[in-house]
């Protein structure tokens, strides 16, 4: 009695020690290779904060606005070019005195530019180039007044005087979806369609394959067994690749950034994965009804139609919807490697450091994946 | 001596499980609680070791007030009160021996027990308890590999580890077939003869007649009967089980 | 059906004509009504968004179906028709939008062949070779007193004449002590390590065969680009002329790319292991916080539960590749950002699964252990932990399996592992290496699949 107890305890302790050593060694080697540098997470915090702040401020709507530019000529020195008449009303710029010599100071006044708006004040040089002066905000009446020094570079050239310009952005009031939001919506539609088409095509291909990979249907006789093992192996082989790997190859063949490449990759992966799931569902069917229908003298097709199909249909539908869910997720990233859709948009925006646009795409991904997740869960619940 | 006074339990959802139940259990008794399911039998047993907090009323065990005991006191009291359950309540993935040893937790060194280290005496005691219920050869198997009757014996062995002075048995045989039911109750009877007070809830009247020294009947949380097993006649039976239960009685008598 | 009953049906049909689904909703089948409304609304949104006016016909048909349905409530019209109409519209537009072009597969057969043919010869092993190499330094451009361009490396003696050269000048290389009757590669290396070819047009390897005594002589030209990257082209610097002989010595060894594949796979496995472990450790507390049965006691706990659940759901809906991109921006290229991304995704996924395990624990043993007089810690140790450890372990192994797959692609965005090499090879078109990594990925994934299934079987 006691002996067995000791033996069992010793054996357990031994296996535990061996397991601990194996896991420890594996971890040590992994850390050597991966070189996790958690300090970097802290030292990179300012950058992380900046990136995250932009990501979390998605660019969704823009206020429709009108850009008004008003200007006034300032001949330097006086008489080198005609002075402006000046308007009496509306957004306008006035300069006092109306002409100046180099290094003098003039007073620039903006009138009726809108209350409390941003004004960009700048020189428009005779050669058409601009030279910034300053940014300021108008007062409660929509006016501003500022002193500007006249620098030699603004001198009149070829009878053409420099101008002082004020650019004002007047909010028009209407809020419209931003260009980013439109682009993201567009890409999202493509993504969803990619998943939809791929799931459908994949399902259609998976159905015949699944029957070939079901041991209770196919594994009869030598030819049947051969077909069974061939199809099984093929499905397993394909399943061991991430769809993204396939997508890169297809992208090279049919063109980089084309949603079609993504669809092809998704179709293949869906076929393999659904083929396996379907075949398992076929293998687990109840042989009772099949026996009964065979007993009535039905042929093989009739047996499948009346004995098998009713048993597997709910499973098939449920798996298909489940896989559609997965495909939506995958198609959000398949664009990273040239598959088109929202992933394409996202990776381009990130590479261009446009994080708030990327944030918009991320938001869209989260929303769509979540919504479709919920929807498919509801439908599957109804099916089972 | 266990004394229950005016025990009432109302669940948060408003269900009245026990209403003003009072009785006494002298040491050495085999008290059987009968009643329909939902009549408050389980609640009553769980109030005694305060797995369920009573709403009002008092329970005294050897003149210690269980109902007002502090958490550490109630743990000391619980370790002297064994309990076995209808669904056995074993940890299915643990070994039989670990399940039995866990009955000793109230006595064990709290820190060593957390590491799974048990004194040799406790291990030997556990093996003896398993021998006593006739399944010593299963000690190192996983609990869920055992049959229902064997699992309940593990439950009894676990209770034995507590050196109980009182044993609460909540429908110990309801999930077992009749032959096994007798074998399990015989263990309880034997323990009772060794001086352990037993409070057991049961469903079948024939078992009540065979094992009980005294019977309490509950109906909708109210004590409707208290007396000897032989005193349960047709009218008493109707009081406890209701009009519709006539035929059940015919079957079980 | 008599007239009195038909009358309201017509009213409902009219209502449905005005707002799809309204008639159905008012006949108490609000779910059906809402679904119909949603279906027509989404269809309309899609058609309007893409401005494909031809597809309005599908919407009109759907709309009519909806009226028909309202007329025939409560039985309704056949749902299959509506579903087919909707899907037809979706497929039709989707086909155009996603630029499905099956012909592209055939018109590009040449490209496909150029990709697939090299893939039949995976670049994993190469014949084992022995190397025999010597070099000599020669000054370019010439100074007044160039050092003698002669050197003995091992048993190889090399002499170049004259001792220095200017661009495109001719030099004579003679060497002794080489393997006899073997092709010898002659290359030029600039002081900064650039290798220049010396064959015709300076874009082919110059190969000269040695004679019976291992003697070789060849005429070379100083490459025109020898001073291309030199900071001062007039400064005389020593360049090198290399003579290299290789010959097979039997057996196979890993090729250069094969070594990269092995390293990539090693990195991939390391990534998967670390991220799974880190994710599992982080997921345990979250799993408890996201378990409804533990957290439903108090409004504050319930609030924590809702927040944790929501966060887990949001993070789970972001693919780890997207997280990897963000981490690559923050901490730079390498396996570390990949590991972080996988770890975070793992935390979210396992946190949810763990919480489901905790929600499903059997309260019976807890009650039984508590009844023995055990304290709370003992109850957790003896009643809770034995119940959750095996499923936790099984789920973690399952997740490890997924992480191995994911870490094969996390390198596509710079996250380390085989994916990093694979993506580079795909981009530069080295399809023999691509094929080698494909084989390695399939082997590793399938083997681990098998082992993880076996391990999980033992646990459950």
């Amino acid at each position: 009695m006691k002996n067995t107890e000791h033996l069992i305890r010793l054996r357990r302790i031994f296996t535990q020690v061996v397991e601990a050593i194996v896991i420890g060694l594996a971890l040590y080697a992994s850390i050597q290779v991966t070189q996790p540098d958690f300090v970097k997470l802290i030292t990179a915090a300012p950058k992380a904060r900046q990136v995250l702040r932009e990501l979390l401020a998605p660019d969704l709507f823009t206020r429709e606005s009108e850009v008004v530019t008003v200007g006034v000529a300032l001949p330097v020195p006086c008489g080198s070019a005609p002075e402006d008449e000046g308007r009496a009303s509306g957004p306008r710029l006035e300069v006092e005195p109306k002409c100046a010599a180099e290094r003098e100071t003039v007073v620039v006044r903006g009138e009726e530019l809108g209350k409390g708006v941003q004004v960009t004040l700048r020189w428009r040089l005779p050669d058409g180039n601009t030279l910034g002066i300053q940014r300021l905000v108008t007062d409660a009446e929509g006016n501003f007044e500022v002193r500007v020094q006249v620098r030699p570079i603004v001198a009149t050239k070829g009878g053409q005087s420099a101008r002082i310009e004020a650019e004002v952005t007047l909010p028009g009031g209407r809020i419209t979806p931003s260009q980013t939001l439109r682009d993201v919506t567009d890409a999202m539609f493509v993504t969803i369609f990619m998943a939809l088409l791929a799931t459908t095509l994949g399902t259609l291909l998976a159905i015949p394959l699944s029957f070939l990979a079901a041991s209770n249907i196919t594994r009869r006789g030598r030819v049947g067994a051969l077909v069974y093992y061939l199809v099984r192996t093929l499905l397993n082989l394909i399943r061991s690749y991430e769809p993204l790997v396939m997508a890169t190859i297809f992208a090279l063949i049919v063109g980089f950034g084309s949603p079609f490449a993504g669809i092809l990759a998704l179709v293949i992966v869906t076929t393999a994965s659904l083929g396996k799931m379907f075949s398992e569902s076929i293998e687990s069917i109840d042989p009772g009804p099949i026996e009964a229908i065979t007993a009535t003298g039905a042929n093989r097709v009739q047996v499948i139609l009346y004995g098998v199909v009713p048993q597997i249909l709910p499973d098939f539908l449920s798996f298909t919807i489940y896989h559609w869910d997965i495909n939506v997720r995958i198609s959000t990233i398949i664009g990273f490697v040239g598959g088109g859709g929202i992933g394409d948009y996202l990776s381009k925006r990130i590479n261009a450091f446009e994080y708030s646009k990327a944030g918009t795409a991320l938001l869209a991904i989260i929303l769509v994946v979540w919504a479709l997740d919920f929807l498919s869960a509801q439908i599957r619940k109804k099916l089972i | 001596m266990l004394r229950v006074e005016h025990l009432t339990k109302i669940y948060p959802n408003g269900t009245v499980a026990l209403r003003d139940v009072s009785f006494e259990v002298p040491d050495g008794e085999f008290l059987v609680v009968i009643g329909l399911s939902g009549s408050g039998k389980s609640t009553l047993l769980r109030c005694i070791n305060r797995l369920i907090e009573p709403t009002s009323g008092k329970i005294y065990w050897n003149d210690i007030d269980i109902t007002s005991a502090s958490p550490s006191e109630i743990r000391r009291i619980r370790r002297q009160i064994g309990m076995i359950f209808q669904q056995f309540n074993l940890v299915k993935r643990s070994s039989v021996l670990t399940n039995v040893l866990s009955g000793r937790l109230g006595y064990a060194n709290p820190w060593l027990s957390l590491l799974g280290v048990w004194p040799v005496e406790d291990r030997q005691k556990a093996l003896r308890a398993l021998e006593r219920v006739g399944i010593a050869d299963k000690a190192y198997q996983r609990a869920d590999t055992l049959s229902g009757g064997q699992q309940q014996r593990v439950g009894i062995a676990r209770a034995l580890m507590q050196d109980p002075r009182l044993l609460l048995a909540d429908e110990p045989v309801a999930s077992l077939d009749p032959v096994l039911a007798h074998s399990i109750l015989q263990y309880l009877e034997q323990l009772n003869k060794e001086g352990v007070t037993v409070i057991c809830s049961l469903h079948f009247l024939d078992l009540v007649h065979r094992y009980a020294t005294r019977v309490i009947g509950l109906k909708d949380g109210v004590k409707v009967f208290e007396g000897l097993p032989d005193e349960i006649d047709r009218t008493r039976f109707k009081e406890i089980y209701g009009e519709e239960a006539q035929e059940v009685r015919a079957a079980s008598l | 059906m008599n007239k009195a009953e038909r009358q309201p049906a017509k009213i409902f049909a009219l209502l449905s004509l005005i707002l799809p689904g309204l008639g159905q909703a008012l006949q108490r089948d609000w779910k059906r009504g809402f679904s119909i409304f949603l279906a027509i609304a989404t269809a309309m949104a899609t058609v309007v968004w893409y401005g494909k006016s031809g597809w309005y016909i599908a919407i009109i048909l759907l709309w009519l179906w909806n009226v028909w349905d309202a007329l025939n409530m409560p039985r309704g019209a056949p749902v299959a028709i509506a579903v087919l109409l909707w899907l037809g519209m979706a497929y039709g537009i989707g086909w155009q939008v996603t630029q499905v072009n099956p012909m592209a597969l055939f018109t590009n057969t040449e490209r496909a062949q150029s990709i697939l043919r090299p893939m039949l010869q995976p670049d994993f092993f190469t014949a084992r070779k022995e190397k025999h190499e010597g070099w000599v330094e020669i000054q370019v451009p010439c100074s007044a007193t160039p050092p003698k361009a002669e050197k003995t490396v091992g048993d190889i003696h090399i002499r170049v004449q004259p001792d220095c050269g200017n661009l495109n000048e001719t030099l004579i290389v003679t060497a002794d002590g080489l393997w006899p009757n073997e092709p010898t590669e002659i290359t030029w290396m600039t002081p900064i390590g650039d290798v220049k070819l010396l064959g015709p047009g300076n874009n082919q390897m110059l190969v000269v065969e040695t004679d019976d005594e291992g003697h070789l002589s060849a005429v070379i030209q100083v490459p025109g680009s020898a001073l291309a990257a030199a900071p001062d082209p007039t400064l005389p610097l020593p360049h090198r002329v290399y003579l290299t002989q290789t010959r097979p010595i039997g057996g196979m060894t890993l090729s250069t790319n094969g070594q990269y594949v092995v390293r990539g796979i090693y990195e991939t496995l390391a990534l998967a292991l670390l991220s799974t472990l880190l994710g599992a450790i982080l997921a345990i507390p979250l799993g408890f916080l996201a378990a409804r049965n533990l957290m439903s006691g108090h409004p504050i706990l319930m609030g924590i539960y809702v927040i944790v659940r929501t966060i887990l759901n949001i993070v789970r809906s972001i693919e780890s590749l997207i997280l990897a991109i963000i981490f690559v921006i923050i901490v730079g290229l390498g396996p570390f950002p990949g590991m972080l991304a996988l770890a975070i995704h793992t935390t979210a996924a396992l946190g949810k699964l763990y919480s489901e395990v905790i929600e499903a624990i059997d309260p019976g043993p807890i009650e039984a252990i508590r009844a023995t007089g055990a304290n709370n810690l003992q109850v957790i140790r003896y009643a809770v932990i034995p119940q959750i450890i095996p499923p936790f372990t099984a789920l973690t192994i399952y997740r490890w399996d997924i992480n191995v797959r994911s870490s094969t692609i996390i390198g596509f965005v710079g996250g380390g592992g085989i994916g990093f090499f694979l993506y580079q090879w795909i981009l530069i078109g080295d399809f023999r290496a691509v094929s080698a990594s494909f084989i390695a990925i399939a082997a590793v994934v399938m083997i681990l699949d098998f082992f993880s299934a076996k391990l999980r079987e033992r646990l459950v």
Side-chain angles (χ1 to χ4, degrees):
Chain A
M1 198 76 221
K2 239 186 134 184
N3 243 341
T4 31
E5 193 197 345
H6 264 108
L7 265 175
I8 290 172
R9 283 179 72 189
L10 269 175
R11 242 183 69 185
R12 188 181 305 152
I13 289 171
F14 179 73
T15 37
Q16 278 174 352
V17 167
V18 169
E19 279 169 7
I21 289 175
V22 167
I23 293 176
L25 283 177
L27 275 180
Y28 176 75
S30 303
I31 289 171
Q32 288 292 308
V33 158
T34 321
Q35 297 177 344
D37 181 5
F38 288 98
V39 181
K40 214 175 197 172
L41 270 185
I42 297 162
T43 52
K47 188 164 185 199
R49 205 165 49 219
Q50 180 219 334
V51 171
L52 287 180
R53 190 183 296 144
E54 284 191 51
L55 279 178
L56 293 177
D59 171 14
L60 296 177
F61 298 101
T62 44
R63 207 143 187 203
E64 247 181 24
S65 57
E66 196 186 351
V67 178
V68 178
T69 309
V70 289
V72 62
L74 184 71
V76 177
C78 281
S80 61
E83 291 160 14
D84 263 8
E85 296 295 310
R87 285 192 291 172
S89 66
R92 62 188 184 274
L93 218 56
E94 285 166 4
V95 60
E96 183 72 42
K98 287 188 186 303
C99 66
E102 285 173 18
R103 302 197 191 285
E104 277 184 355
T105 303
V106 293
V107 177
V108 180
R109 264 194 296 275
E111 313 255 343
E112 296 179 40
L113 292 171
K115 290 161 194 167
V117 294
Q118 273 273 342
V119 182
T120 308
L121 203 62
R122 65 184 177 220
W123 290 102
R124 170 77 58 187
L125 303 179
D127 57 5
N129 290 332
T130 58
L131 175 71
I133 301 173
Q134 71 179 96
R135 283 163 169 266
L136 38 87
V137 178
T138 57
D139 61 17
E141 272 95 50
N143 305 332
F144 72 85
E145 187 178 300
V146 68
R147 301 174 72 80
V148 176
Q149 208 200 8
V150 178
R151 296 162 68 184
I153 194 174
V154 305
T156 306
K157 266 189 207 122
Q160 176 89 36
S161 74
R163 296 171 67 80
I164 296 176
E165 284 183 354
E167 191 181 277
V168 192
T169 310
L170 295 171
R174 271 224 303 157
I175 290 176
T176 52
S178 66
Q179 186 56 38
T180 310
L181 188 58
R182 285 158 197 260
D183 292 344
V184 165
T185 313
D186 230 15
M188 209 66 226
F189 264 116
V190 172
T191 302
I192 294 173
F193 281 138
M194 266 165 69
L196 186 69
L197 285 178
T199 311
T200 315
L201 291 174
T203 309
L204 292 179
L205 290 173
I207 290 172
L209 281 179
S210 67
F211 280 91
L212 292 179
S215 60
N216 54 344
I217 302 275
T218 309
R219 212 161 70 183
R220 285 178 192 160
R222 217 177 258 172
V223 180
L226 185 71
V227 170
Y228 166 79
Y229 282 113
L230 264 180
V231 175
R232 274 255 134 159
T233 314
L234 186 70
L235 294 185
N236 279 333
L237 188 68
I238 296 175
R239 270 178 352 108
S240 63
Y241 293 113
E242 285 279 330
L244 243 61
V245 176
M246 307 247 163
T248 46
I249 300 290
F250 282 116
L252 284 171
I253 298 177
V254 303
F256 210 81
S258 135
F260 182 44
I263 291 182
L264 286 174
L266 279 176
V267 166
I268 289 184
V269 172
T270 309
T271 307
S273 169
L274 279 182
K276 176 105 192 295
M277 285 164 118
F278 285 178
S279 71
E280 273 161 13
S281 157
I282 295 170
E283 280 170 1
S284 67
I285 54 176
D286 178 8
I290 299 175
E291 209 176 3
I293 288 166
T294 318
T296 63
N299 65 27
R300 198 129 166 204
V301 175
Q302 287 170 319
V303 169
I304 287 179
L305 219 55
Y306 291 93
V308 179
V309 171
Q311 288 195 57
I312 56 178
L313 203 59
D315 268 4
F316 273 34
L317 277 176
S318 169
F319 288 149
T320 306
I321 291 166
Y322 167 71
H323 220 277
W324 139 258
D325 212 46
I326 294 180
N327 280 350
V328 171
R329 280 165 199 264
I330 300 174
S331 55
T332 60
I333 53 167
I334 213 150
F336 285 10
V337 293
I342 190 88
D344 194 33
Y345 181 85
L346 182 61
S347 75
K348 279 180 185 152
R349 294 288 81 77
I350 285 181
N351 289 336
F353 308 109
E354 294 171 323
Y355 298 131
S356 73
K357 289 184 177 176
T360 317
L362 270 182
L363 189 69
I365 289 175
I366 292 172
L367 282 179
V368 167
V369 169
W370 210 354
L372 293 178
D373 209 35
F374 177 76
L375 204 72
S376 87
Q378 293 301 313
I379 297 176
R380 276 188 294 149
K381 218 185 268 171
K382 226 176 170 181
L383 281 173
I384 296 167
Chain B
M1 168 81 115
L2 182 81
R3 201 163 75 241
V4 176
E5 290 176 356
H6 308 294
L7 188 67
T8 298
K9 171 67 190 176
I10 303 167
Y11 283 106
N13 64 9
T15 315
V16 182
L18 293 173
R19 192 190 294 276
D20 198 20
V21 175
S22 304
F23 61 91
E24 282 185 6
V25 191
D27 286 342
E29 202 159 38
F30 197 121
L31 176 76
V32 169
V33 185
I34 56 172
L36 289 171
S37 43
S39 61
K41 300 187 301 270
S42 294
T43 307
L44 175 61
L45 292 182
R46 281 170 174 73
C47 281
I48 292 173
N49 62 1
R50 268 196 36 207
L51 285 178
I52 289 174
E53 292 292 330
T55 310
S56 64
K58 291 278 177 199
I59 302 170
Y60 295 97
W61 191 42
N62 297 337
D63 296 322
I64 303 166
D65 183 359
I66 292 181
T67 41
S68 63
S70 72
S72 61
E73 278 167 0
I74 191 65
R75 282 202 298 275
R76 262 200 304 283
I77 295 167
R78 273 180 191 157
R79 72 183 191 188
Q80 303 173 50
I81 304 179
M83 187 161 193
I84 59 179
F85 302 83
Q86 176 180 353
Q87 295 302 334
F88 326 132
N89 287 2
L90 302 182
V91 182
K92 294 194 176 63
R93 294 178 195 270
S94 295
S95 72
V96 167
L97 190 67
T98 309
N99 269 292
V100 176
L101 278 170
S102 67
R104 203 67 192 162
L105 283 171
Y107 295 91
N109 178 319
W111 300 109
L112 282 182
S113 71
L114 287 185
L115 294 172
V117 177
W118 291 92
V120 179
E121 312 89 77
D122 281 356
R123 289 179 164 271
Q124 283 165 351
K125 192 179 169 70
L127 287 170
R128 276 203 305 277
L130 280 172
E131 243 166 84
R132 188 161 172 195
V133 293
I135 47 171
D137 54 325
K138 313 275 187 203
Y140 300 101
Q141 290 188 11
R142 259 171 64 155
D144 55 2
T145 59
L146 270 56
S147 69
Q150 288 170 332
Q151 289 195 29
Q152 191 57 294
R153 291 195 220 174
V154 177
I156 294 174
R158 177 170 64 192
L160 281 176
M161 289 296 283
Q162 295 176 241
D163 295 325
R165 292 165 61 194
L166 172 64
L167 189 64
L168 305 172
D170 181 20
E171 300 269 14
V173 295
S175 306
L176 303 172
D177 62 48
V179 181
L180 285 174
H182 275 290
S183 81
I184 294 293
L185 284 173
Q186 272 158 13
Y187 284 117
L188 298 190
E189 191 180 35
Q190 209 182 330
L191 283 174
N192 180 242
K193 285 191 178 134
E194 289 167 15
V196 180
T197 311
V198 176
I199 304 178
C200 176
S201 62
L202 282 178
H203 227 79
F204 290 109
L205 266 185
D206 56 343
L207 295 176
V208 176
H209 284 121
R210 164 80 177 72
Y211 294 101
T213 57
R214 213 151 57 87
V215 179
I216 282 179
L218 285 180
K219 190 187 182 196
D220 298 333
V222 182
K223 189 179 84 177
V224 291
F225 173 80
E226 182 172 1
L228 297 173
D230 297 339
E231 289 171 3
I232 307 174
D233 56 13
R234 192 167 290 270
T235 20
R236 294 289 193 194
F237 182 82
K238 260 195 250 174
E239 271 174 25
I240 302 167
Y241 282 93
E243 294 289 342
E244 317 84 46
Q246 289 291 342
E247 297 191 10
V248 180
R249 192 204 176 200
S252 66
L253 272 180
Chain C
M1 207 181 272
N2 60 39
K3 256 195 174 166
E5 275 174 349
R6 275 201 80 86
Q7 213 52 39
K10 273 184 189 160
I11 294 170
F12 287 128
L14 196 69
L15 285 172
S16 277
L17 186 64
I18 297 164
L19 182 71
L22 183 62
Q24 286 86 341
L26 287 177
Q27 292 184 65
R28 294 193 170 182
D29 201 345
W30 68 268
K31 269 187 187 167
R32 192 185 186 98
F34 187 64
S35 312
I36 292 171
F37 174 74
L38 220 61
I40 294 185
T42 49
M44 199 121 103
T46 315
V47 173
V48 169
W49 183 267
Y50 283 106
K52 311 255 187 225
S53 43
W55 286 103
Y56 277 117
I57 190 82
I59 291 172
I60 292 168
L61 287 174
L62 261 178
W63 206 299
L64 289 176
W65 178 89
N66 139 64
V67 174
W68 178 28
D69 186 63
L71 260 178
N72 283 321
M73 283 300 284
R75 196 159 47 90
V79 179
I81 296 179
V83 171
L84 284 179
L85 272 172
W86 195 94
L87 284 178
M89 185 260 339
Y91 288 138
I93 294 182
W95 195 269
Q96 294 166 336
V97 167
T98 54
Q99 307 156 25
V100 171
N101 180 12
M103 284 315 287
L105 276 179
F106 302 104
T107 50
N108 292 333
T109 40
E110 228 167 90
R111 195 153 15 140
Q113 273 181 6
S114 72
I115 290 171
L116 295 178
R117 199 170 295 140
M119 289 185 78
L120 295 176
Q121 306 165 321
D123 178 12
F124 197 66
F125 294 109
T126 176
R128 251 158 47 109
K129 278 178 186 152
E130 190 179 17
K131 208 171 185 183
H132 201 204
E133 190 175 65
W135 53 271
V136 64
E137 274 181 351
I138 174 163
Q139 201 178 53
V140 176
C142 280
S143 64
T145 52
K148 201 175 181 198
E150 184 170 20
K151 188 167 176 72
T152 307
V153 180
D155 49 355
I156 307 175
H157 172 81
I158 310 173
R159 172 90 176 99
V160 176
Q161 282 171 310
D163 291 321
C164 68
N166 293 318
L167 291 188
N168 297 322
E169 279 181 359
T170 304
L171 303 169
I172 299 165
V173 182
T174 50
D176 294 297
L178 290 157
W179 292 329
N181 301 320
E182 285 283 345
T184 307
E185 292 177 346
I186 305 176
T187 47
W188 186 280
M189 193 197 265
T190 66
I192 55 168
D194 271 0
V195 175
K196 308 282 180 193
L197 300 183
L198 297 169
N202 279 6
N203 54 16
Q204 282 176 39
M205 183 68 79
L206 178 66
V207 181
V208 180
E209 197 151 322
T210 51
D211 63 15
D212 292 338
E213 275 109 44
H215 177 80
L216 167 148
S217 76
V219 176
I220 60 171
Q221 257 189 341
V222 179
S225 55
L227 297 173
D232 176 10
T234 59
L235 184 72
L237 281 174
H239 291 229
R240 283 181 181 188
V241 174
Y242 274 85
L243 301 188
T244 314
Q245 288 182 308
T246 46
R247 63 180 176 196
I249 50 170
M252 300 292 265
T253 183
L254 283 176
S255 64
T256 318
N257 283 340
Q259 284 168 6
Y260 279 125
V261 169
V262 171
R263 203 181 122 198
I265 290 285
Y266 184 40
E267 228 174 76
T268 294
L269 291 175
L271 261 178
L273 186 69
L274 276 189
S275 57
T276 310
L277 191 80
L278 193 65
I281 291 171
L282 293 175
I284 290 172
L286 290 176
F288 281 94
L289 292 178
R292 201 188 184 95
N293 53 346
L294 297 183
M295 306 297 286
S296 56
H298 191 274
I300 293 178
L301 289 179
M302 201 63 201
I304 296 175
Y305 161 82
V306 171
I307 292 169
V308 172
R309 273 259 142 153
T310 313
I311 292 177
L312 291 183
N313 278 333
I314 289 180
V315 176
R316 256 171 1 106
S317 67
I318 305 176
E319 282 285 330
S320 44
L321 214 63
I322 297 175
L323 294 173
I325 290 198
I326 296 171
F327 278 117
V328 166
I329 298 169
I330 294 173
V331 303
L333 290 174
F336 183 50
M339 190 204 79
L340 286 175
L342 284 175
I344 286 184
H345 201 255
T346 305
T347 305
L350 279 184
K352 173 118 190 290
L353 293 172
Y354 285 176
S355 73
E356 279 161 9
V357 169
I358 295 165
E359 281 171 5
I361 55 176
D362 178 5
I366 297 174
E367 191 181 34
I369 301 290
R370 180 161 287 145
T372 66
N375 64 30
N376 284 336
L377 280 177
Q378 288 172 325
V379 170
I380 291 175
R381 165 68 178 80
Y382 282 89
V384 179
I385 289 183
Q387 285 197 63
I388 59 174
I389 286 287
F392 271 28
T393 318
L395 288 171
T396 310
I397 291 174
Y398 164 73
R399 187 66 216 180
W400 172 62
D401 211 40
I402 295 181
N403 278 350
V404 170
R405 283 162 199 264
S406 302
S407 58
T408 60
I409 53 161
I410 206 93
F412 282 19
V413 294
I418 183 83
F420 186 74
F421 299 110
L422 177 57
Y423 199 51
Q424 304 302 322
W425 284 325
I426 289 176
L427 290 186
I428 64 172
D430 187 347
F431 293 106
R432 293 189 55 210
V434 168
S435 160
S437 36
F438 271 26
I439 293 169
I441 289 175
V444 167
V445 170
M446 280 165 107
I447 290 171
L448 291 183
D449 225 26
F450 177 79
F451 274 114
S452 94
K454 280 270 173 278
L455 273 174
R456 276 183 287 151
E457 235 166 61
R458 242 180 54 185
L459 282 167
V460 180

